[in-house]
Amino acid sequence: MNKVTTSTLIIFVLIAGWVFYLTNIKKDDSLTVRYYSISELAKESNDIRKIKVGGYIKPNSINVSEEDQLEVSFFVYQNSDSVKVTYYGIRPDLFKDDAEVVVSGSYANNLISATELQTKCASRYEGDLKNIEKI
Amino acid sequence: MISQIGSIAISLAGGLISSSFIFLGLFKKFNNQTYLQVAERSILATSYCIFLSFFCLLNELLISNFNLQYVAQYTSYETPVFFKVTALWAGQAGSLLFWSFITALFAVSYIFTTLKKLKALKFHSYVILSFIFSFFIVLSNFIANPFEPVSSDIVVQNGNGLNPLLQNFFMAIHPPILYVGFTGSAIIFIMALAASISKDISFEWVQSIRRWSLFVWTFLSAGIILGGYWAYNELGWGGYWAWDPVENSSLMPWLTLTAFIHSSMIQEKRGMLKKWNFLLATSTYILVILGTFITRSGVISSVHSFTAENLGPMFFTFLAILILYTIFWFFKRKSYLDTPDKIDSFTSREGGFLYNNLVLILMCFTIMWGTLFPILSEAWDGNKIYVGASYFNQLNIPIGLVLLFLMGIGPLLSWNYTSQSILLNRFKLPFSVSFLSGIGYLIFSNSFQIYVFVAIIGVSFTLSSILGEFYKSYKKQKNSSNFLHSIVKMLLSNRHKNGGYIVHIGIVLLFIGFIGRAFEVEKEFSLSPGEQIYFSNYVFKLNSIKSEARDNHYAFLSEIDVVDSSTNQLLVNLKPEKRIYFYWNSDPEKRQPHSELDIYSTIQKDIYSIFSGYDAQKNIGYFKIMINPLVNWVWIGGVLMVIGSLFAFWPSRRNS
């Protein structure tokens, strides 16, 4: 085998390896995270290292710590199921009762310790015209 | 009246483009040049109709004709004139017409410049061009018509106005610049296909397609960098790149186009790699359309995305046709595109370009895989799997570092073959410089990070390799005593090559900025006026929070003293604001909070402050501070990339 063929071969093996690796990223939770629904999670008794969950903030469940304004706990609900979430950090602008949120973090003992908290904002600029008069 | 003209013009464009198809068909059947000419004129007339309807929409936006749904939705009487203009591409319907407008500009210049010289490409160029046009004209006529009137039972007293987040200069200008890059890649697509189908790949063709590629590349790069600049300065999450699907969609075609610019050089010099180049040139536009499909169909949610209308299936069909058409002709012309010449050695300039190509494509594929993975996995077994920034960072950092080294190795290689002794001789300088900087890192840094270590070696290796090349050509040119004169003369001696090197230096500077990300630190905290907090060698003291009603928003103004704790001196006074737009609206859902940042920016680091929220009852402000080292190098590098590619682009036009 001459040098060119050997190099080509090495390159192909490397690429094949890389592609094989990419098809298996699902198992590597440092790269990916699975999305759970609240009802799915409510049935889940095992701990999960990394999750992402979407739902709505249960009214009157937001509890901000007196000692540290950045410490908060609340429940996220979907239909009749709900899960408790704790979070440390600044809350997004639209964080309030019934706001739609996406929470990422870990799940243990029926509690989500969130590392990331996002509110979904309703797009204000698409859709209805505001200053109109009916005729 | 004007809006009717615009509406008629866009329908007329539809008629004209159909007539172009008819005459192309007649030409194919009877082979009479007159038919081809009529088809050409139909395409030109289509373009002029699109221009007309574009200017009609512009006019309606400027005079605030709120009888049009689009105008009422994106502007108001209060919107400044500049943003009335930029509202052209703020929404779905307008941006699609804008897309057609740029396509038309490209079509006209392609017909009048390139096709004047490469006559053999005319027929197939017109076929593909007409197809692309008809797709966008159908969208503008039937799916998202910007001239759609508001429903007849209402009178609009004032429009909604442009989203305040979008009322930023860089936000306003980065989409059109990106669009120029996106639509311009259609010309590259057309040229690659037309030349292969008509079996007319000539030297002039290679030169011409390379010129187009450089032009398109410049705009793509500028658009991507400006988008990052806007995100960093306006969006307030402290970064310029988040691996959002929309960002990925602009990066993927950039990568394939970058690969094409390099590998087409091999075709220009040695007539090789025709098949590979065909694939790169066509996939760039295909990736543009894939990206548009991803972002406009709503299949992947993203902060940037427009609300989904029925565009998804349309774009999907368009995309599928483009792909099938390309694949069909690729296999049909496989033997024509075959080149007998093979690469002799991998330690040659061609070999270097090939490695560069493989790495770029691998990166593109990795990004595409990550972007599409959520859809693919949900389709596969119903599980929604999110691919976060960690995927893109972890996988692309090593690939990027390989690329960084390749940029340094490339210039050291000769065409055809580089002998070992020459290679060793040329490696001396970059090798010793990078060796020393690696040692320097080990001695002076107090923590070891492998990627930072490799990146520092890579940056110094590549920088010294390129500067060494510059010095060599400088020595050859040096005859006058004036230093500056010799430098300019050296740069002008081979603009193509030197322009490329300038781009590479720009990319190396980007990498310096990327290294900074490894050292970013941030802290979130709450403070009442008068309190202070220590973080990362600085003391942040909140002096006051005041409030103020302004023209279109209500603002809470904070004032933070930043004291350097090692010297105990006041460094800067930061004034981030918390704003509430539409605060007068009785419906709290319609009010829009926004954090206006304040950044203390130096060449070493940025102190980035965000006023995230204010609790008026307790008089507590919530803040986030980030210390972002070396960010400015990203912008400097970006500017240099654009300058370098313009430098390479301009002269080649004059030479021809």
Side-chain angles (χ1 to χ4, degrees), chain B residues 144-192:
Chain B
N145 190 336
F147 297 103
E148 184 84 23
V150 294
S151 70
S152 55
D153 59 340
I154 57 167
V155 173
V156 181
Q157 274 139 359
N158 195 357
N160 286 4
L162 191 67
N163 188 332
L165 262 185
L166 305 185
Q167 295 197 23
N168 166 287
F169 178 74
F170 291 101
M171 172 59 214
I173 61 164
H174 92 264
I177 291 176
L178 256 183
Y179 282 1
V180 171
F182 285 167
T183 47
S185 62
I187 300 294
I188 300 166
F189 177 81
I190 291 168
M191 282 188 82

Side-chain angles (χ1 to χ4, degrees), chain B residues 65-221:
Chain B
N65 177 4
F66 296 136
N67 292 325
L68 294 187
Q69 180 82 20
Y70 189 81
V71 178
Q73 222 163 43
Y74 295 102
T75 60
S76 63
Y77 287 121
E78 295 81 25
T79 308
V81 174
F82 177 73
F83 292 112
K84 281 183 178 170
V85 176
T86 63
L88 275 169
W89 51 84
Q92 184 85 271
S95 65
L96 285 172
L97 182 63
F98 185 66
W99 187 301
S100 303
F101 172 72
I102 304 176
T103 310
L105 280 178
F106 273 117
V108 171
S109 57
Y110 177 60
I111 289 172
F112 283 126
T113 61
T114 310
L115 288 185
K116 282 274 174 292
K117 276 177 269 164
L118 303 168
K119 292 197 170 63
L121 304 191
K122 276 189 177 179
F123 174 72
H124 290 288
S125 294
Y126 295 155
V127 172
I128 306 166
L129 198 53
S130 303
F131 173 67
I132 292 174
F133 261 138
S134 52
F135 172 70
F136 283 98
I137 291 169
V138 164
L139 289 187
S140 285
N141 271 302
F142 303 111
I143 312 275
N145 190 336
F147 297 103
E148 184 84 23
V150 294
S151 70
S152 55
D153 59 340
I154 57 167
V155 173
V156 181
Q157 274 139 359
N158 195 357
N160 286 4
L162 191 67
N163 188 332
L165 262 185
L166 305 185
Q167 295 197 23
N168 166 287
F169 178 74
F170 291 101
M171 172 59 214
I173 61 164
H174 92 264
I177 291 176
L178 256 183
Y179 282 1
V180 171
F182 285 167
T183 47
S185 62
I187 300 294
I188 300 166
F189 177 81
I190 291 168
M191 282 188 82
L193 270 162
S196 308
I197 297 173
S198 50
K199 299 192 181 178
D200 207 77
I201 293 182
S202 57
F203 185 68
E204 286 71 35
W205 175 87
V206 182
Q207 285 200 315
S208 178
I209 197 171
R210 280 185 50 75
R211 215 142 47 225
W212 279 104
S213 308
L214 278 178
F215 181 78
V216 170
W217 190 90
T218 311
F219 277 87
L220 268 185
S221 313

Side-chain angles (χ1 to χ4, degrees), chain B residues 609-626:
Chain B
S609 66
I610 309 163
F611 187 177
S612 305
Y614 178 56
D615 188 332
Q617 284 164 346
K618 295 180 188 153
N619 195 19
I620 293 174
Y622 295 96
F623 297 91
K624 182 170 180 175
I625 299 284
M626 306 174 95

Side-chain angles (χ1 to χ4, degrees), chain A residues 22 33 90 93 124-125, chain B residues 369 384 386 524 578 582 589:
Chain A
L22 286 184
V33 50
I90 294 172
D93 286 321
R124 286 176 172 65
Y125 285 84
Chain B
W369 184 253
K384 267 197 207 171
Y386 278 84
E524 296 183 341
K578 184 81 206 175
F582 308 106
E589 292 289 323

Side-chain angles (χ1 to χ4, degrees), chain B residues 513-527:
Chain B
F514 298 161
I515 293 174
R517 297 206 70 167
F519 300 98
E520 284 175 6
V521 285
E522 60 174 66
K523 191 175 179 67
E524 296 183 341
F525 50 87
S526 58
L527 282 184

Side-chain angles (χ1 to χ4, degrees), chain B residues 423-585:
Chain B
L423 203 58
L424 281 178
N425 195 24
R426 288 181 185 162
F427 259 83
K428 259 188 222 151
L429 170 79
F431 184 78
S432 28
V433 172
S434 55
F435 183 77
L436 287 177
S437 52
I439 298 280
Y441 172 76
L442 291 177
I443 294 172
F444 292 110
S445 86
N446 23 21
S447 68
F448 180 77
Q449 294 188 55
I450 179 75
Y451 283 148
V452 174
F453 179 61
V454 178
I456 284 176
I457 292 177
V459 163
S460 45
F461 181 86
T462 302
L463 211 52
S464 53
S465 155
I466 298 171
L467 292 179
E469 281 301 297
F470 272 142
Y471 182 69
K472 254 192 269 167
S473 14
Y474 168 75
K475 270 207 306 206
K476 262 189 232 157
Q477 286 291 324
K478 197 175 150 194
N479 41 19
S480 62
S481 51
N482 188 333
F483 172 72
L484 256 176
H485 183 80
S486 312
I487 290 267
V488 170
K489 221 173 138 191
M490 178 273 286
L491 286 176
L492 293 181
S493 65
N494 187 344
R495 298 191 194 196
H496 227 96
K497 186 173 108 186
N498 291 331
Y501 284 160
I502 294 173
V503 173
H504 285 183
I505 292 178
I507 295 175
V508 172
L509 298 187
L510 282 187
F511 270 92
I512 294 180
F514 298 161
I515 293 174
R517 297 206 70 167
F519 300 98
E520 284 175 6
V521 285
E522 60 174 66
K523 191 175 179 67
E524 296 183 341
F525 50 87
S526 58
L527 282 184
S528 290
E531 291 180 342
Q532 63 181 43
I533 192 163
Y534 171 85
F535 171 55
S536 184
N537 274 326
Y538 299 100
V539 174
F540 297 89
K541 179 168 184 274
L542 178 64
N543 288 334
S544 61
I545 296 177
K546 294 183 189 123
S547 58
E548 190 176 294
R550 294 196 187 138
D551 259 0
N552 63 345
H553 64 269
Y554 193 84
F556 294 101
L557 318 164
S558 70
E559 215 190 280
I560 304 170
D561 281 343
V562 182
V563 177
D564 189 332
S565 68
S566 49
T567 58
N568 225 355
Q569 290 207 322
L570 180 71
L571 191 66
V572 64
N573 188 253
L574 290 172
K575 293 174 177 141
E577 297 176 8
K578 184 81 206 175
R579 295 177 176 179
I580 319 286
Y581 287 90
F582 308 106
Y583 63 95
W584 55 81
N585 203 316

